[in-house]
Amino acid sequence: MIELKDITLRRGAKVLLEGASVSIHAGEKVALVGRNGTGKSTLLALLSGALHEDRGSLTLPAGWRLAQVAQHMPETDAPATDFVISGDERLTHLREQLSKAEQSGDGMAIAQSHSDLQDAGAHDARARAEALILGLGFTPDQLQRPVNSFSGGWRMRLQLARALMAPSDLLLLDEPTNHLDLDALVWLEGWLARYAGTLIVISHDREFLDAVTRVTLHIEGGRLTRYGGNYSAFEELRAQQLTLQQAAFAKQQDKIAHLQKFIDRFKAKATKARQAQSRVKALERMERIAPVLAEAEFQFEFLEPANLPNPMLVISDGVFGYAAQDASNTPESEAPGAGSTVAAGQFDPEAAAPRVILRGVNRTVLAGQRIGILGANGQGKSTFVKTVARTLALQGGTLTEGKGLSIGYFAQQELDVLRPQDTPLEHMVRLARETGQAASESAREQQLRNFLGGFNFPGEMVAQPVGQFSGGEKARLVLAMIVWQRPNLLLLDEPTNHLDLNTREALAVALNEFEGTLMLVSHDRALLRSVCDEFWLVARGAVAPFDGDLEDYQRYLLDESRRRKDEQAAQAAAPTPRTGDPADTQRPSTALNPAEQRRQEAQRRQQQAERARPHQRALQQAEQRMQAIEHERTQLETRLSTAGLAPADLADAGRRLKALQDELAQLEEAWLTHASAIEALAAAPAPEQVHAGG
């Protein structure tokens, strides 16, 4: 058991924990939550031994093995698999012992080393390391690539794999999901669910915490409070506690006011002096209940777009990928302007053959659409978004932008658009000049300071270099710069990587109120669920609508994982044997003879069919109309893809597509209502069967 007793913990002059006590039992999976800056990472450093308490005591079981993700970027030419295996320090030490024994020719030492290596799992270490690497999104051909050949985010995934490789009794994870796509995130949840040791994790992904943890430790105001249950249970319990605390505080304030009123009135009267003095002592002895101090919640909103072109953009036979040169070095001046038609090869006609990732893409983006971009790692989600954002060149086909299109792009790496040496105010002044603001210099600066204040950048922060900011502060600055530009199309590529839970909730609220079009790539399932109305799937070199929700997508990821394993093994997957007819579990158990049972079952089915018939008719009508709408949508999208279409015809087709989309949404809702009614009727017993056998 881990036990903290009366812990005081400081960082510099700031007291992060004071008099904190808590116990964590072996095998518990714990979420460590609290606002940024409250001391979550510092507490992990205390548990790992990197820091020491200023007062109190920390007790960990003797002999416990600790694993955590190293925060430094690995710099090594070692192959990825070997780097991950080296995370098992005991295995590495035993291999060194074996090498020394072989060099000395000590037969007994060689035999002992082989025995120890067997106990340490050396026989399957490579297979275990490869499973970790592949689970975190790498491909088989990357297993032997040098670590230094990967970008920073991928090297941090290797650090995570290295920590998971190490045998441990206590695993400390600080924001492990920041560099993961949704497929790798789902895999990690499954791995941690099977982890047998004690887990303490910091994360701002509420669904990840709900799936992985069963205990929540909350840091607030220097106090550490333990709650039983996952993050959702913690939120509910805390809300109840705050409500009770506020009610108790109000009641106590009434009592204090009553006592004080008596004291003030009678303290000078000799006949009442004794009673007044007793009330003074009662006030002194009273343990005061603290008021509920509402923490300032971060809120913002996107400005109303100046216009809403419809369609926003039309992609015809699009080919997405990278030229032989690094596309990120393409000057901004060469990027296509709004309202233009971009032809393939416009950026660099002398470039070598491009690396194609997506081919034959035909999609139309309408005003008001809210699209979540799904796809397994490496399938081309970011490539697709970067090309739409004009950061990458279209490699083939055409991309026609609506007149007046204004794009707000949140890059996966905030430093793609931020200059570390510049301050937030300098970023905003430069942006204001680029957008052609006519205000005077002094008026504009004060306006920009006020604007930045609305994004939690107070006076002193607007003058600090951005390079000194945390990831969350940089992300908020990028959001502020996007809001300032009043875009009508938002392209957000993993915007929540460094945002805390409160800022994520503020972003979700702002996106739901945004009047333009949204295209979102994110592994934050709560955000995807709350703001997206439809999903597109980027997979196998194509972009297509995904017919399903996020639960369906997680099942799709599992199926794809199985398919890839089967392909790697070069053998077909064995069909899952059926253990019996599922309908068997629905047949009622009865003591009646078979003939009577069949008669009653037939009668029940007939009654259910009669009750379901109106819903079936409504379903059929809805499906027929939905098919007609899909047919008309296909024709309109084909028409929009036709080169040289007149602007008026383009606008008419866009308006008709929007009307069809709205009608389709209403039909889908009606379809779900009738389908749910049919399912409920099928699950309910017939009225006269409720008392059968009685």
Side-chain angles (χ1 to χ4, degrees), residues 443-629:
R444 180 171 58 199
E445 180 172 321
Q446 187 57 50
Q447 180 188 14
L448 295 175
R449 285 179 178 272
N450 295 340
F451 179 78
L452 286 168
F455 283 83
N456 278 1
F457 292 105
E460 65 276 8
M461 285 191 70
V462 300
Q464 292 180 15
V466 168
Q468 299 177 6
F469 286 179
S470 67
E473 290 164 342
K474 292 174 185 174
R476 274 194 281 114
L477 178 56
V478 174
L479 286 173
M481 294 171 67
I482 291 173
V483 169
W484 181 266
Q485 299 173 68
R486 295 182 66 182
N488 47 36
L489 173 60
L490 282 176
L491 302 174
L492 306 183
D493 191 357
E494 297 292 358
T496 63
N497 271 355
H498 300 287
L499 301 182
D500 61 22
L501 282 161
N502 292 292
T503 309
R504 290 185 186 208
E505 290 170 2
L507 175 61
V509 171
L511 290 175
N512 277 319
E513 295 176 351
F514 176 59
E515 296 181 8
T517 298
L518 168 68
M519 300 178 73
L520 171 65
V521 177
S522 179
H523 65 259
D524 188 325
R525 287 158 292 181
L527 183 65
L528 286 168
R529 282 193 179 93
S530 64
V531 305
C532 294
D533 297 329
E534 59 183 295
F535 297 106
W536 289 2
L537 178 64
V538 180
R540 304 185 190 182
V543 181
F546 181 75
D547 185 18
D549 56 20
L550 290 179
E551 280 67 32
D552 296 321
Y553 177 64
Q554 289 186 204
R555 286 189 286 271
Y556 162 82
L557 288 175
L558 292 173
D559 292 340
E560 282 293 289
S561 175
R562 295 190 193 101
R563 182 184 64 80
R564 287 195 299 269
K565 287 179 181 178
D566 292 340
E567 288 178 353
Q568 293 162 13
Q571 62 182 12
T576 304
R578 300 187 63 180
T579 57
D581 185 355
D584 289 344
T585 61
Q586 300 176 2
R587 293 180 183 134
S589 174
T590 177
L592 299 176
N593 62 61
E596 180 61 18
Q597 183 177 336
R598 286 193 298 271
R599 186 192 68 77
Q600 288 195 4
E601 286 180 351
Q603 184 180 8
R604 177 175 60 85
R605 287 193 297 269
Q606 181 179 357
Q607 291 171 342
Q608 288 176 336
E610 289 175 358
R611 291 195 295 272
R613 192 167 291 118
H615 298 292
Q616 293 283 8
R617 282 198 297 269
L619 270 186
Q620 186 177 7
Q621 292 170 0
E623 287 171 351
Q624 289 173 350
R625 180 56 187 153
M626 288 161 69
Q627 289 175 359
I629 288 175

Side-chain angles (χ1 to χ4, degrees), residues 31 33 177 182 185-186 188-190 192-193 201 203-214 230-233 235 496 501 504-505 522-531 535 549-551 553-554:
V33 302
T177 67
L182 187 52
L185 177 57
V186 172
L188 179 61
E189 286 179 356
L192 292 176
V201 58
S203 177
H204 294 308
D205 187 326
R206 64 172 57 243
E207 294 209 14
F208 174 76
L209 293 178
D210 277 350
V212 170
T213 64
R214 295 296 176 268
N230 59 18
Y231 185 80
S232 292
E235 279 194 319
T496 63
L501 282 161
R504 290 185 186 208
E505 290 170 2
S522 179
H523 65 259
D524 188 325
R525 287 158 292 181
L527 183 65
L528 286 168
R529 282 193 179 93
S530 64
V531 305
F535 297 106
D549 56 20
L550 290 179
E551 280 67 32
Y553 177 64
Q554 289 186 204

